[in-house]
Amino acid sequence: MIEWLAEPWSHLFMQRAFAVAAMSAVVCVVVGAFVVLRGMAFIGDAVAHAVFPGVAIGFVLHINLTLSGAVAGAATALAIVLISQTRRLKEDTVIGVFWAAAFGLGIVIVSTRQSYTGDLASFLFGQILALGDGDVLMVAVVGAALVLATFGLRRQLIAVSLDRETARASGLPVLALDIALYVMVTAAIVVSLQAVGNILVLALLVTPSAAARFLTDRLGAMVGVGALIALFGAIAGLYLSFYYNLAAGGLIVLVITGLFLLAWLFAPRHGLLTRRRARAVPGD
């Protein structure tokens, strides 16, 4: 058993994969907790799709795919925030508009090329087993900055998430906080693309925090529990990928989704089966 557990760690590419997966998982949970609290999971999907045309442009122009994707995602997030300020449209409507537009633009740009390359495919589906030391360092630096920024703004972000009008009346810069959250979501998505890819990144951002939401009512505990869920999913997914030669990003997402379903069913207070058993007890 010990040999089975230790074998993947003897390979440098797996050590890098474990490091990036762990850091990406923690960063996504820290930022994703506010995404779940605010009920704006759709923004994660929108930004992930907004990154796609940026990646396609970078691919066509032969520039850094991560940088071009980050610029496109941040620009789209800023547009969503600004247009959402109007009372004529709800935030999810504006997100839907840009989600479709960004994905359509990406498809058009990609269609100008005769074939796909490994770089673009790996960006879409993840390349966690092919990372270099520079990738690990980039995720570590950006991830640390995101965690620190989220910690520093946590009280203001909670206030805006719970009641925007009260937060605005108390003098909080709601628009600036919206922009900050959207930019942090974009950055978290970009640093996680190498782990699970553009298509699956929403799961890493939302699912661990959503699972933790069944297990606790406090934000701090939700972040901690969500981080543990994400870490377990990342490590377990990589072990399965190593021994069964399957896609690492997809397995990470499937493991985390399985934990989400277990929390939904068996959470001590809010689990579906737990509540049904409680109602079945006479006199309860």
Side-chain angles (χ1 to χ4, degrees):
M1 183 66 178
I2 295 177
E3 183 178 348
W4 186 88
L5 291 172
E7 173 62 20
W9 294 89
S10 64
H11 302 277
L12 183 58
F13 73 92
M14 286 299 295
Q15 295 172 15
R16 291 170 177 156
F18 280 124
V20 169
M23 290 185 291
S24 297
V26 172
V27 169
C28 280
V29 169
V30 170
V31 177
F34 293 97
V35 172
V36 173
L37 182 66
R38 187 161 162 177
M40 52 180 283
F42 200 18
I43 182 57
D45 205 14
V47 172
H49 282 77
V51 168
F52 178 46
V55 172
I57 291 172
F59 169 61
V60 171
L61 299 180
H62 303 290
I63 60 178
N64 185 276
L65 301 184
T66 301
L67 178 61
S68 60
V71 170
T76 303
L78 180 60
I80 291 173
V81 172
L82 294 176
I83 296 176
S84 295
Q85 299 305 305
T86 176
R87 297 182 181 274
R88 295 290 298 174
L89 294 174
K90 291 186 177 180
E91 190 175 44
D92 59 347
T93 302
V94 179
I95 291 172
V97 170
F98 281 92
W99 179 91
F103 199 62
L105 177 59
I107 292 173
V108 170
I109 294 172
V110 169
S111 69
T112 64
R113 308 295 294 180
Q114 294 298 319
S115 61
Y116 299 93
T117 69
D119 285 340
L120 184 56
S122 65
F123 202 90
L124 294 175
F125 302 106
Q127 55 175 356
I128 195 167
L129 300 181
L131 300 177
D133 291 334
D135 297 313
V136 178
L137 180 61
M138 185 273 290
V139 174
V141 172
V142 176
L146 277 174
V147 171
L148 290 174
T150 306
F151 180 79
L153 294 173
R154 68 190 188 284
R155 297 186 186 279
Q156 295 93 322
L157 292 175
I158 291 172
V160 173
S161 298
L162 295 178
D163 192 330
R164 294 174 61 81
E165 296 306 319
T166 300
R168 184 177 284 109
S170 64
L172 288 177
V174 174
L175 176 59
L177 289 168
D178 283 345
I179 293 174
L181 179 58
Y182 278 55
V183 169
M184 288 190 293
V185 168
T186 302
I189 287 173
V190 170
V191 300
S192 303
L193 288 176
Q194 297 178 95
V196 295
N198 179 271
I199 295 175
L200 300 175
V201 70
L202 180 64
L204 203 58
L205 185 71
V206 173
T207 308
S209 296
R213 192 77 174 90
F214 285 113
L215 300 171
T216 180
D217 297 319
R218 296 185 296 112
L219 180 63
M222 187 173 83
V223 172
V225 173
L228 290 176
I229 291 171
L231 282 171
F232 178 85
I235 293 172
L238 285 172
Y239 268 101
L240 292 172
S241 173
F242 180 81
Y243 282 110
Y244 294 101
N245 194 30
L246 297 171
L251 287 170
I252 290 171
V253 170
L254 289 177
V255 172
I256 294 174
T257 304
L259 295 175
F260 167 82
L261 294 174
L262 289 175
W264 171 59
L265 290 172
F266 301 110
R269 291 183 57 193
H270 304 293
L272 177 65
L273 298 183
T274 304
R275 288 186 284 111
R276 287 185 176 179
R277 283 198 299 268
R279 287 197 297 267
V281 176
D284 190 33

